[in-house]
Amino acid sequence: MGTLYITGAGVSAESGIPTFRGEDGFWTIGSTNYTPQEMATRAMYERHPGEFLAWYYQRFVAYRHHGPNEVHTWLSNKTLITQNIDGLDGKAGNSNYVSIHGRIDEMTPFHHQGDDVERTKAPWEQVDETNLESSLLELFKISKTRGPVLNESYKPYVLLFDEYYTELYEISRALEMMQEAERIVFMGTSFSVNITQIALDIARTQDTQIEVVDPNPCHVLHANTRYHVMTAKDYIAAQQEHEWKSER
């Protein structure tokens, strides 16, 4: 299959979207009563759906109008798995990538994990920000007294901390891409989530060459690894220069 690219939040930083663990990262700001790690759970969505949806809207959906940067454009014709939910790879023109953690522009019926459900467009443009929680509950068909109801209410299309990879998130396709790859390039990821560990395990088992692109790269336990201590933007600039010289 050639090269598989696996990207994380560092790739979208040039588009003005916070990373997860930076000074103003997504995982540094929670709600009044809960940490981000407590907020981003299915349990929170079920118990306090209004607070969950308001937090999700303010911390993620607020960036829905941001545009792709040159890294997304360069990746638009590449084999790609992204951990990002911002949808910028799709905006850049990649029509066949795997968004392994979901997308902010979509939602699904609230369902048991593993159920086969449809993804539909999320109604963010209809939100009344002056009555944020009430508006979100209404749009997601959630009662203030009963909470979300299976197969009646809606849930943002996002994989939460206490959920697991299912076919809704194209996990089988992602695994196949990893197993068929001759090289895996990790860009802008801290290797702190399950999908990167899965990819590393497959690479170690098959002795697949991997490359790590990050200005502060995490060192991984795999002998066949090359590190590029630079941003994704600088990496693609170097790749483009190499391609240009090869064509001359």
Side-chain angles (χ1 to χ4, degrees):
M1 185 185 72
T3 302
L4 167 65
Y5 294 85
I6 299 180
T7 60
V11 166
S12 293
E14 288 281 339
S15 292
I17 297 178
T19 58
F20 284 86
R21 291 164 180 83
E23 184 176 339
D24 190 35
F26 286 126
W27 295 153
T28 64
I29 300 176
S31 69
T32 302
N33 302 310
Y34 301 97
T35 67
Q37 289 78 7
E38 291 171 322
M39 287 300 304
T41 61
R42 184 182 180 95
M44 182 62 68
Y45 165 75
E46 292 178 337
R47 295 171 191 162
H48 305 286
E51 189 168 359
F52 169 90
L53 289 169
W55 174 80
Y56 182 79
Y57 182 85
Q58 292 167 331
R59 293 304 295 157
F60 295 94
V61 182
Y63 297 95
R64 67 190 181 280
H65 296 307
H66 285 227
N69 59 55
E70 55 196 281
V71 180
H72 299 110
T73 301
W74 187 80
L75 289 166
S76 64
N77 63 349
K78 307 293 192 295
T79 303
L80 173 66
I81 298 170
T82 186
Q83 301 166 63
N84 301 329
I85 65 172
D86 50 43
L88 295 183
D89 292 290
K91 288 183 179 180
N94 195 322
S95 60
N96 200 33
Y97 71 105
V98 172
S99 186
I100 198 69
H101 293 152
R103 287 178 49 162
I104 58 172
D105 59 344
E106 296 182 348
M107 65 181 183
T108 69
F110 177 45
H111 62 283
H112 291 298
Q113 293 182 80
D115 288 353
D116 184 15
V117 294
E118 293 291 323
R119 293 156 46 183
T120 56
K121 185 175 175 59
W124 304 126
E125 302 310 318
Q126 302 173 44
V127 172
D128 177 6
E129 294 186 351
T130 62
N131 298 285
L132 185 58
E133 285 195 26
S134 295
S135 177
L136 288 166
L137 288 172
E138 181 179 353
L139 289 168
F140 279 78
K141 298 186 178 179
I142 300 173
S143 164
K144 290 183 179 180
T145 56
R146 290 194 301 163
V149 177
L150 283 168
N151 303 314
E152 293 183 20
S153 302
Y154 289 95
K155 173 185 173 289
Y157 176 50
V158 59
L159 185 72
L160 300 169
F161 280 136
D162 53 353
E163 296 182 316
Y164 53 86
Y165 296 116
T166 65
E167 292 311 308
L168 179 63
Y169 299 94
E170 300 186 87
I171 184 59
S172 292
R173 183 171 167 233
L175 293 174
E176 183 178 349
M177 292 162 75
M178 295 172 191
Q179 291 160 351
E180 293 181 354
E182 298 171 7
R183 179 178 67 141
I184 302 177
V185 179
F186 296 90
M187 302 176 72
T189 178
S190 63
F191 291 92
S192 59
V193 296
N194 287 340
I195 200 66
T196 50
Q197 294 307 310
I198 292 170
L200 282 175
D201 287 343
I202 290 174
R204 281 191 285 259
T205 299
Q206 302 186 168
D207 195 29
T208 305
Q209 177 189 354
I210 71 170
E211 299 185 21
V212 180
V213 181
D214 199 285
N216 298 292
C218 294
H219 287 266
V220 297
L221 297 176
H222 181 43
N224 193 3
T225 300
R226 180 182 178 190
Y227 296 93
H228 302 272
V229 185
M230 61 183 68
T231 65
K233 180 180 178 180
D234 290 338
Y235 174 80
I236 65 165
Q239 295 300 304
Q240 289 171 330
E241 181 178 1
H242 176 73
E243 291 167 2
W244 179 74
K245 288 181 178 178
S246 299
E247 292 172 358
R248 294 189 67 183

